[in-house]
Amino acid sequence: MAKTYDYDLFVIGAGSGGVRASRVAAAHGARVAIAEEYRVGGTCVIRGCVPKKLLVFGAHFAEDLMDARRFGWKIGTCKFDWPTLRDNVLAEVERLEGIYQDILDRHEVETFAQRATVTGANEVTLADGTKVSAATILIATGAHPAIPDVPGAGHGITSNEVFHLESMPKRVMIAGGGYIANEFAGIFHQFSCHVTIVNRGDIILRHYDEQVRDRLLQISLTKGIEFKFNAPFETIEKGKGGKLTVKLAGQDPIGTDLLLWAVGRDPNTAGLGLDKVGVELGKNKAVLVDEDNQSSVPSIYAIGDVTDRVQLTPVAIREGQAFADTLFGGKPTRVDYANIPHAVFSHPPIASVGLTEGEAREKLGGYKTFTSDFRPMKNVLAGRNERSLYKLIVEEGTDRVVGLHMIGPDAPEILQAAAIAVKAGLTKAQFDDTIALHPTMAEELVLMR
Ligand code: FAD
């Protein structure tokens, strides 16, 4: 007789990937349970993409209100009140958390609001000691901010705490050169903080096209954001009134009110019991999975940030959907990782899809680049000296557009639509054949010669 389990599927982690996988599996008729140790919705909803983007919107008003005067608006003294924005953002997060819980409830996914660990190939143990069995276990535990092993590192905060600050600091130091570091640099700068980005290496946004990331660096420096490159941390000391003194290698100590670690995110596998049941872990202790998200233990699967493939919400969601359709919907599906659009919500934002010029040089027989370097119409009237840059990478021979990189107002909004064309393999001639929509910034995409 076939062995029976309490559930067909037990999901650990109710974030972007876990919620999608569990509700789709349930819709396919599976008996599903999910455990969440913190808040339903996961990183993206509770302390990632969503509250971050709301702060980006809030920060943008600093420039919009300044520019408005050039457009004829008489504006008195403007004052920014951080607690108002913070509390409104946190209230919105709470509303979304409720919606995610509702999605689970409506699909009859049983939620356990506690930590879960894996104690067997088909067994999960909850924090209160309850043991449950499941035919399949899905690890969707996400990742957490890395904190370097430096004396006094604990005096810094991470993106987990940043949305809850009591007050706006005057001076902020951000460690890291990735998208989270650059996004928070823009946010804090617009809120009138003095921002210093400290980077271990000598470039920011390593995976972005060189010309585009250089443009952000140039604009950020002009705005007054400071950068310290090749500057490893030595010590962080806390003084009277909570002020921090940071010692970077080879430099004089720097005082700051807040230190934000944004140096990467490590998979949440510590203490999960995976090694004890034989699940193989890879670099950074990520769960190693095959193309169908299956681990080295056949009944245990993993999706999302915990697998450290591409740490983005839409990817975790796709993986959750593919997992559930394959296992419970009779529809074998694999995620296509080619041409994933991605963005940095800096000021101004960056967006990108496909090969960078550096990658094209390595991977293609031949390629051409087309660039448009322009000052957006709105910036001209506002007297704002920031230039946008759009760049197309085109494969020689096939004429296919294989990369698109943009920095400028609304770049992520524009790129999402253009990414469809890149993903579909359209040629430069087909871009050029499309009549421009005038006057827009996006028309540059079809006017590059
Ligand atoms: P998560 O959403 O992290 O969910 C994992 C869940 O598992 C968590 O709720 C956690 O509490 C729970 N959990 C962990 N261990 C256990 C356990 N043992 N038992 C029970 N529960 C457990 N991505 C984008 O695409 N765009 C963005 O603009 C963007 N901005 C970001 C900004 C910030 C500041 C951060 C930190 C991340 C951002 N991301 C962004 C990344 C995005 O949030 C993640 O890629 C996404 O949330 C991954 O989804 P997931 O399901 O793998 O994990």
Side-chain angles (χ1 to χ4, degrees):
M1 207 175 89
K3 191 168 172 0
T4 54
Y5 297 102
D6 298 331
Y7 301 99
D8 298 318
L9 171 66
F10 196 99
V11 180
I12 306 183
S16 306
V19 169
R20 173 60 66 98
S22 48
R23 79 140 163 95
V24 174
H28 286 315
R31 294 168 304 133
V32 186
I34 193 166
E36 171 53 55
E37 68 174 346
Y38 182 53
R39 291 174 68 181
V40 170
T43 304
C44 178
V45 175
I46 307 293
R47 47 195 181 183
C49 337
V50 172
K52 181 261 322 260
K53 188 71 188 284
L54 292 172
L55 293 192
V56 169
F57 285 134
H60 217 281
F61 281 100
E63 288 182 354
D64 292 344
L65 286 165
M66 211 186 294
D67 294 352
R69 296 181 168 96
R70 289 279 304 162
F71 287 84
W73 292 91
K74 301 280 174 244
I75 297 170
T77 332
C78 292
K79 193 173 169 298
F80 172 63
D81 184 53
W82 161 248
T84 302
L85 176 60
R86 179 197 60 204
D87 294 349
N88 287 344
V89 168
L90 295 180
E92 173 59 6
V93 164
E94 206 172 314
R95 188 185 71 85
L96 293 172
E97 184 184 2
I99 290 176
Y100 273 77
Q101 183 63 61
D102 193 46
I103 290 172
L104 293 173
D105 295 344
R106 275 191 287 115
H107 286 84
E108 294 178 11
V109 174
E110 192 173 347
T111 311
F112 294 95
Q114 49 184 313
R115 183 171 168 79
T117 51
V118 178
T119 42
N122 298 96
E123 185 187 81
V124 168
T125 300
L126 297 164
D128 68 4
T130 311
K131 289 191 186 306
V132 294
S133 64
T136 301
I137 296 170
L138 178 66
I139 310 298
T141 50
H144 62 276
I147 298 183
D149 188 12
V150 175
H155 297 315
I157 64 160
T158 69
S159 57
N160 284 352
E161 295 80 37
V162 75
F163 301 105
H164 300 266
L165 292 179
E166 276 290 311
S167 56
M168 247 318 115
K170 285 203 170 62
R171 299 163 301 172
V172 179
M173 181 178 280
I174 302 176
Y179 79 97
I180 295 177
N182 281 280
E183 290 175 340
F184 277 99
I187 291 168
F188 280 118
H189 173 75
Q190 303 287 12
F191 291 154
S192 298
C193 307
H194 180 269
V195 177
T196 308
I197 289 195
V198 177
N199 201 344
R200 213 172 34 171
D202 56 1
I203 49 171
I204 55 166
L205 301 171
R206 184 172 301 279
H207 301 296
Y208 281 81
D209 190 83
E210 197 175 334
Q211 253 180 301
V212 165
R213 63 179 194 235
D214 278 355
R215 178 62 53 91
L216 179 66
L217 178 60
Q218 195 187 83
I219 294 174
S220 301
L221 284 166
T222 310
K223 283 182 194 289
I225 295 174
E226 250 188 88
F227 286 82
K228 303 232 175 259
F229 289 111
N230 298 314
F233 282 78
E234 282 188 345
T235 55
I236 299 109
E237 282 172 14
K238 197 170 193 164
K240 282 196 198 110
K243 306 282 176 220
L244 303 180
T245 304
V246 177
K247 180 79 184 72
L248 304 172
Q251 308 212 12
D252 290 337
I254 305 172
T256 189
D257 303 308
L258 181 78
L259 170 63
L260 175 66
W261 295 114
V263 292
R265 293 180 56 76
D266 295 334
N268 285 332
T269 48
L272 206 53
L274 293 174
D275 39 351
K276 290 191 198 120
V277 297
V279 171
E280 268 182 56
L281 302 181
K283 201 171 149 242
N284 258 355
K285 299 266 191 291
V287 181
L288 286 179
V289 288
D290 65 12
E291 281 180 301
D292 293 311
N293 303 298
Q294 192 172 29
S295 78
S296 52
V297 174
S299 57
I300 300 179
Y301 290 70
I303 54 163
D305 283 7
V306 75
T307 63
D308 210 6
R309 288 173 286 186
V310 180
Q311 291 192 342
L312 288 174
T313 290
V315 176
I317 291 174
R318 272 294 167 100
E319 289 168 354
Q321 179 85 39
F323 159 82
D325 283 344
T326 303
L327 256 78
F328 301 100
K331 204 170 81 178
T333 314
R334 283 180 175 168
V335 175
D336 175 5
Y337 292 91
N339 291 313
I340 296 172
H342 45 105
V344 185
F345 294 96
S346 42
H347 286 77
I350 288 178
S352 187
V353 65
L355 299 183
T356 62
E357 186 172 355
E359 289 165 344
R361 201 177 298 128
E362 269 175 31
K363 291 184 181 163
L364 303 180
Y367 69 91
K368 281 190 200 151
T369 63
F370 297 84
T371 52
S372 176
D373 188 338
F374 62 100
R375 205 168 156 210
M377 204 183 208
K378 194 173 159 214
N379 284 1
V380 176
L381 196 77
R384 186 169 291 286
N385 205 17
E386 278 170 38
R387 296 183 70 81
S388 296
L389 179 70
Y390 292 4
K391 180 169 177 181
L392 286 177
I393 317 277
V394 177
E395 186 177 31
E396 239 167 30
T398 65
D399 193 40
R400 276 192 324 122
V401 176
V402 291
L404 169 58
H405 311 280
M406 308 167 69
I407 176 167
D410 298 329
E413 301 290 342
I414 299 167
L415 185 122
Q416 173 69 88
I420 301 169
V422 175
K423 178 91 183 158
L426 298 195
T427 62
K428 176 72 169 60
Q430 286 169 313
F431 271 60
D432 296 347
D433 199 31
T434 307
I435 293 180
L437 198 164
H438 183 73
T440 60
M441 292 178 286
E443 69 180 310
E444 295 300 322
L445 293 175
V446 297
L447 295 175
M448 287 186 228
R449 300 288 188 266

